[in-house]
Amino acid sequence: MQLSHGGESSPTGAPVARRSVEQVLALAPDAASRKAGTRLGAAGPWSGTGCDASGAVWGLCKGSGSTPYRTVVDTTGPAYACSCPSRKFPCKHALGLLLLRASDEGAFRPAEPADWAEEWLAGRRARAARESNPAAGGDSPRGPADPAAARRRAERRAERVTGGAQELEQRLADLLRGGLAATDRPGYGLWEETAARMVDAQAPGLAARVRELGAISGSGPGWPVRLLEECGLLHLLDTAWLGRDRLPDPLAATVRTRVGLPQSAEGPPVRDQWLVLAQYDTPDGKIVARRIWLYGRGSGRTALLLSFGAAGRSPAQALPVGATINAELTPYPGGGQLRAELGEQFGATTAAGPPPGIAAAAAPAVYGNALRDDPWLDAWPVTLRDVIPVPSKDGWQLADAHTDAHPNARADAHAETHGGTRTGSALPIAPAALSRPGLWKLVALSGGGPVTVFGEIGHRGFEPFAAWDPGEDEEGAGTTGGPVVQLV
């Protein structure tokens, strides 16, 4: 039987918000699973379906064999179990069950779980109870068996990283003396060799940045300027590491993270109503990295959850985009760092409107302020309120539509769409987003009117991740529009 990562506390009390079709598809580990799950999202192959007030749904899915697959989902996690042999999480049967739930609630009658479903659900509840009460037999947190030995290991690794940083500084100096044009020669192997040396020095963060340098010479016109800029940032990181004892504690923590030293979440947990802004996967070598962006309704904080999965498997952590979870987050250290660790969840997920946003004209200043805390930031999360996607000379941009931002913004956007010139404030959409289908979803959602868009702003422009229907109001003002639309 296929099991999920498990471990989340199953909330009790209020009913769990039902996911939309789009939110369910966001849980799929890959495109093939989305396609296969969609085929199973109708009532035809299912029998014995049911649900209960705790957020569990279950059913029997007819397959190629004589015995149907037993599928159960705890939607409060979410967590999944299925008797199929798939190694994907969730499998196509779990996706199909949730898609059926999203499109046809009448297909599920409230009932006591089937015996096979109850057995799995009871095991989850027992694990959650043990973890929340160590005195009753749960695993208690354990520190290093020998703190002195752990400290010595950390010191030895820091010495190796220092040696790697000094060697990298020498190689950068040699590169500048010889000229950047040498890196464009066929067979030039400086970057891969240098990256391997940084791996030997146990500085994976430095190794990753060195490998990125190797791709710049083939990135098109103007590559020497971009290469020099990235070499300057790498030199800044080297010198920051070598002089870390003189840095403020938050910046020193950021430097340790950037060179690749492991950090642990620390500090007091922050409990809030966290709105799930976006969730997307990106390849990271032989693994898949999942990024989940959250916004705290009470604290006003934005947080990033990171999880990883082996090749061909979805990362374990998944949250429904557009929903709000009542949970604790523990932040990681570092100046300007947004990463956090998800802790205990309380109650059920609920639907919610978009977060408060700012004008497009104000977004570059937000990114600039973040760079003061972390000079190596490629981008910074921001929500844009009342913007209109309009075509531009080089692609697309998000133009301010609010009358306070520019009295003629709507007329300017209309003129730009029809070949005119816009005079208001706008952000260019990053080149990486121009080729994705999400851009056209955004344009269709807007229909020439203002929308709320969440994404990241960086030196390459704004990359949209999610957008809310023009009729969707901020929390407290009523929710009148449609659900969130994912753009990645």
Side-chain angles (χ1 to χ4, degrees):
M1 175 174 283
Q2 178 199 77
L3 299 179
S4 80
H5 60 292
E8 302 89 346
S9 300
S10 296
T12 58
V16 177
R18 201 157 46 100
R19 288 172 169 80
S20 68
V21 169
E22 203 161 50
Q23 289 171 340
V24 172
L25 292 176
L27 301 174
D30 51 39
S33 296
R34 282 192 291 273
K35 185 176 180 179
T38 300
R39 289 198 296 266
L40 296 175
W46 292 97
S47 62
T49 54
C51 63
D52 67 11
S54 72
V57 294
W58 58 89
L60 301 172
C61 186
K62 183 179 180 181
S64 57
S66 58
T67 303
Y69 295 117
R70 296 175 173 182
T71 307
V72 57
V73 178
D74 180 356
T75 60
T76 62
Y80 324 91
C82 186
S83 59
C84 75
S86 174
R87 296 180 62 83
K88 295 182 180 181
F89 298 94
C91 67
K92 64 181 182 181
H93 305 102
L95 289 170
L97 186 67
L98 289 175
L99 287 170
L100 177 62
R101 172 75 167 162
S103 59
D104 185 7
E105 188 174 9
F108 295 81
R109 62 179 182 85
E112 291 296 319
D115 292 343
W116 52 270
E118 174 59 31
E119 181 180 357
W120 179 76
L121 292 168
R124 273 184 54 77
R125 297 187 190 108
R127 288 194 299 273
R130 288 195 300 270
E131 291 173 4
S132 62
N133 185 12
D139 295 332
S140 58
R142 293 190 299 268
D146 186 348
R151 184 174 59 254
R152 288 193 296 271
R153 287 194 297 270
E155 290 172 351
R156 287 196 296 269
R157 180 169 184 178
E159 290 174 0
R160 286 192 287 270
V161 174
T162 296
Q166 291 170 339
E167 180 179 344
L168 182 55
E169 280 295 284
Q170 183 60 52
R171 295 196 177 207
L172 288 174
D174 293 342
L175 171 67
L176 293 178
R177 276 195 298 268
L180 297 179
T183 64
D184 198 29
R185 291 202 305 261
Y188 189 77
L190 170 70
W191 302 127
E192 195 55 45
E193 178 192 351
T194 304
R197 294 290 298 141
M198 295 306 103
V199 171
D200 293 341
Q202 293 187 294
L206 293 178
R209 297 188 78 91
V210 169
R211 288 194 182 97
E212 290 173 0
L213 295 180
I216 294 179
S217 60
S219 62
W223 68 264
V225 174
R226 293 191 292 274
L227 180 59
L228 185 60
E229 290 173 348
E230 294 302 320
C231 285
L233 286 172
L234 188 54
H235 166 70
L236 180 64
L237 182 56
D238 279 342
T239 54
W241 170 262
L242 296 174
R244 63 191 180 281
D245 294 338
R246 300 188 298 273
L247 298 177
D249 289 342
L251 184 56
T254 297
V255 171
R256 287 193 291 270
T257 299
R258 290 296 181 183
V259 300
L261 295 186
Q263 301 274 15
S264 300
E266 60 184 37
V270 179
R271 181 174 176 179
D272 205 339
Q273 296 285 340
W274 296 97
L275 170 63
V276 185
L277 297 170
Q279 174 180 293
Y280 58 96
D281 297 343
T282 54
D284 188 359
K286 295 182 179 180
I287 62 176
V288 175
R290 171 165 293 170
R291 288 169 169 80
I292 303 176
W293 286 104
L294 304 176
Y295 172 78
R297 292 287 190 183
S299 63
R301 298 176 62 161
T302 301
L304 173 65
L305 305 181
L306 276 178
S307 58
F308 302 91
R313 298 187 64 180
S314 175
Q317 197 167 64
L319 294 173
V321 177
T324 296
I325 60 171
N326 184 351
E328 288 183 344
L329 295 187
T330 303
Y332 279 74
Q337 295 296 303
L338 297 173
R339 187 182 175 188
E341 184 176 284
L342 180 63
E344 185 176 359
Q345 299 183 47
F346 309 89
T349 59
T350 57
I358 61 175
V366 174
Y367 176 48
N369 289 334
L371 285 173
R372 292 188 299 186
D373 294 324
D374 184 351
W376 303 278
L377 275 175
D378 288 326
W380 187 257
V382 67
T383 300
L384 304 180
R385 187 76 176 174
D386 291 335
V387 292
I388 304 173
V390 294
S392 65
K393 179 181 178 182
D394 300 319
W396 284 78
Q397 59 185 4
L398 293 173
D400 279 327
H402 201 284
T403 54
D404 292 342
H406 192 286
N408 298 315
R410 283 181 177 271
D412 289 338
H414 183 272
E416 175 95 12
T417 304
H418 293 82
T421 301
R422 187 180 191 282
T423 59
S425 300
L427 287 177
I429 291 181
L434 294 177
S435 59
R436 290 202 295 254
L439 173 62
W440 303 111
K441 290 184 182 180
L442 177 60
V443 173
L445 179 70
S446 166
V451 290
T452 296
V453 184
F454 168 77
E456 291 183 354
I457 180 174
H459 58 279
R460 297 180 181 89
F462 182 84
E463 191 167 358
F465 294 156
W468 283 261
D469 188 287
E472 190 90 354
D473 297 327
E474 291 180 17
E475 186 173 346
T479 302
T480 60
V484 61
V485 175
Q486 297 183 77
L487 307 176
V488 289

